[in-house]
Amino acid sequence: MQLSELELIRREKLNQLRALGIDPYPAALYPVTHTSKTIKKDFEEGKQVTIAGRLMSRRIQGKASFAELQDAEGRIQVYFNRDEICPGEDKTHYNEVYKKLLDIGDFVGVEGELFTTQVGEKTVLVKRFTLLSKALKPLPQPRVDSEGVVHDAFTDSEQRYRQRYADMVVNPHVKEVFKKRTKLFNAMRTFFNERNYFEVETPILQPIPGGAAARPFVTHHNALDIPLYMRIANELYLKRLIVGGFDGVYEFSKNFRNEGMDRTHNPEFTAMEIYVAYKDYNWMMDFCEELLEFCATEVNGTTKATFGKYEIDFKAPYPRITMADAIEKYTGFDITGKTEDEIRAAAKKLGVEVDDTMGKGKLIDEIFGEKCEGNFIQPTFITDYPKEMSPLCKEHRDNPELTERFELMVCGKEIANAYSELNDPIDQRERFEAQLKLAEKGDDEATQFIDFDFLRALEYGMPPTSGMGIGMDRLVMFLTNNASIQEVLFFPQMRPEKKAVQVELNEEEKAVLALLKTHSPIDLNALKEKSGLSNKKWDKSIKHLTKNKLAKVEKTGEGLFVELV
């Protein structure tokens, strides 16, 4: 690994600190008494405090310096004065350690007392400071110029997702999304627990991938010498628990689907599934409305949430429309009673891309997805799905071609899916067998397995039950106004990071780069003059540096400036 000049300088400072007898990574507990937030909230002049955080900025003015420490709650100004820190003759701790050997990004502990500056800033007067951790890599440092223009903002999505740790340090607002995520999980747990539903855990490694139509990740268990599948859903295990005597169970589960990735899909995602005995999908719709109204209020303090250009209101009740009515409303085609061939022909006529591997259920799903989903902005229940689309769902009590199922749509995306659960073991076996035929036909999302143990569980008897799954990541997106699922996952899945390519530079290019390391940003003409290169050599050098992203040229109101990347 090749280190940058700044990284080499920091490592040299590390050695100098150790030479002074200072451990740059001390093991002892540091007795923090306050945070930046509690200092500001309960501020008292002269109050003694001990705080810790990252050094994020400083303005050194001889024997005094104002700086900012950033902790988990925010930032607080601290004031370093040489004679307060070093009251005796030896000023090394200020002159050498603070001024020369500390860097932006270092973790520092501070003991001191509170005071207010002449401009009214609540500040800590430092009496003692301790280096708690030396940062060897410089943080991305956004800068604001005299005109208020931000330079070097850490906004590149790929860098932010790969280096979430740096993202949260320099873009503290990112942490607010994840705080709201935790609020959502806590609110949902509260809602369920107050109704005496029981939180459980079910296997992530499963002998049969069941409970959903999705392509699984496959692994191998060496000791048992069997293939295992990473969970695509936990439905069949939760229903086993209803068979076993629980009246209501729920789980927040990590699921894994070996399928495409986009702004709303990640191969690893979090779902909540809940199953309640003696209920049906009509009851679950009411329950879902109450749940989401409660959660939205707990997370944002209101039932309303902004998502892009829309204001969504999670206040109950929500509109309800059957899938057949929705398709007829937006396409003019009535799917009721139609054969597979008729639906395939209609899909092609509507411009929906289909193929011969798709069964009736998949064809209907494609038509609805292409032509209807995007029309449902406010929370809306889509109900009564064709039987072919729902192999685990109970047949509709009034129409044997349909099932008692709903999906909740928000801004054209599904966030909840619920059934009156199928508890007839003979019917369930037939549905599984129909799925096998679809798989043999080429549908790679149809299940290729029959879970005989689950059928055995149903044969012992499962009471009437309603179940619901909610995509937690997608719900967080709606409650925090994030159009990309990557923004609400701490560490989204990424392609392998490309190794840095060593760029060969000639002597002229090295000279220009050396000037940039001490004068960046700099007026382009001034840099050219300092380089002393001919026009031809200058043009060739600056083009090579910018092409290889070692430097960049930006146009401002004052002209063209060159910056070190």
Side-chain angles (χ1 to χ4, degrees), residues 258-532:
N258 196 0
E259 298 172 345
M261 292 172 59
D262 57 32
R263 290 171 66 82
T264 59
H265 294 87
N266 195 65
E268 175 184 349
F269 64 97
T270 304
M272 184 289 304
E273 293 205 25
I274 183 168
Y275 292 80
V276 186
Y278 312 111
K279 309 298 183 188
D280 67 3
Y281 81 137
N282 294 310
W283 176 90
M284 189 62 83
M285 274 187 267
D286 297 336
F287 182 80
C288 179
E289 291 172 334
E290 294 173 25
L291 170 67
L292 294 184
E293 181 178 331
F294 175 79
C295 288
T297 305
E298 288 293 300
V299 171
N300 287 329
T302 173
T303 60
K304 295 181 179 179
T306 299
F307 186 73
K309 63 182 180 180
Y310 301 112
E311 182 180 74
I312 310 163
D313 195 347
F314 286 97
K315 178 75 175 173
Y318 307 155
R320 305 177 185 191
I321 180 172
T322 68
M323 173 165 274
D325 287 346
I327 291 175
E328 186 170 11
K329 178 178 179 179
Y330 292 108
T331 70
F333 177 68
D334 184 2
I335 63 172
T336 306
K338 298 297 192 297
T339 66
E340 180 179 313
D341 289 340
E342 289 173 319
I343 294 171
R344 180 177 283 105
K348 291 178 179 177
K349 189 175 180 180
L350 290 166
V352 177
E353 190 174 334
V354 296
D355 59 55
D356 292 339
T357 69
M358 294 179 179
K360 187 175 179 180
K362 190 77 178 286
L363 291 167
I364 294 170
D365 192 29
E366 289 295 314
I367 293 172
F368 180 79
E370 287 286 328
K371 300 297 180 180
C372 305
E373 277 187 356
N375 296 291
F376 299 106
I377 304 303
Q378 296 302 322
T380 304
F381 290 116
I382 309 300
T383 68
D384 301 349
Y385 281 54
K387 184 183 288 186
E388 293 83 359
M389 294 180 68
S390 313
L392 296 166
C393 187
K394 183 170 283 190
E395 182 180 286
H396 198 284
R397 66 197 75 176
D398 299 323
N399 186 340
E401 290 190 356
L402 304 177
T403 56
E404 296 197 348
R405 173 185 178 185
F406 73 77
E407 287 187 340
L408 179 65
M409 308 298 297
V410 178
C411 287
K413 298 295 181 182
E414 170 216 336
I415 61 169
N417 184 23
Y419 305 158
S420 293
E421 298 296 337
L422 178 57
N423 60 345
D424 178 341
I426 296 173
D427 189 359
Q428 181 65 84
R429 182 184 293 269
E430 291 171 353
R431 304 274 196 96
F432 279 156
E433 289 170 350
Q435 284 283 299
L436 279 182
K437 290 178 182 177
L438 286 175
E440 290 167 1
K441 192 176 177 181
D443 186 344
D444 60 6
E445 287 189 355
T447 181
Q448 301 178 44
F449 304 90
I450 293 180
D451 190 335
F452 291 104
D453 180 70
F454 175 66
L455 291 174
R456 179 168 57 192
L458 288 187
E459 288 172 355
Y460 279 107
M462 185 177 85
T465 298
S466 184
M468 176 173 66
I470 291 178
M472 297 300 292
D473 307 315
R474 197 169 287 177
L475 182 54
V476 175
M477 290 167 61
F478 289 125
L479 292 176
T480 60
N481 193 18
N482 278 296
S484 171
I485 194 172
Q486 285 81 13
E487 291 290 348
V488 303
L489 302 174
F490 273 125
F491 305 106
Q493 193 66 45
M494 305 285 289
R495 292 185 185 277
E497 192 168 3
K498 292 181 180 178
K499 292 182 179 180
V501 179
Q502 190 67 34
V503 180
E504 293 291 332
L505 301 179
N506 61 31
E507 292 306 314
E508 290 87 0
E509 292 156 357
K510 289 178 181 177
V512 175
L513 195 61
L515 285 170
L516 274 175
K517 287 179 179 179
T518 56
H519 302 85
S520 179
I522 182 173
D523 179 84
L524 185 141
N525 290 323
L527 179 61
K528 179 181 177 182
E529 187 176 337
K530 284 179 177 290
S531 72

Side-chain angles (χ1 to χ4, degrees), residues 32 34-40 50-56 68-76 106-108 132 165 168-180 490:
V32 174
H34 294 76
T35 66
S36 58
K37 184 177 181 179
T38 58
I39 286 174
K40 294 172 184 176
T50 302
I51 62 171
R54 282 189 189 269
L55 189 64
M56 293 300 291
E68 280 186 305
L69 279 190
Q70 179 172 295
D71 61 15
E73 303 290 345
R75 291 191 183 190
I76 188 74
D106 290 351
F107 278 91
V108 179
L132 300 177
Y165 34 86
M168 291 186 291
V169 174
V170 300
N171 298 319
H173 64 276
V174 170
K175 287 167 58 177
E176 296 306 311
V177 171
F178 295 100
K179 289 179 181 179
K180 286 188 174 184
F490 273 125

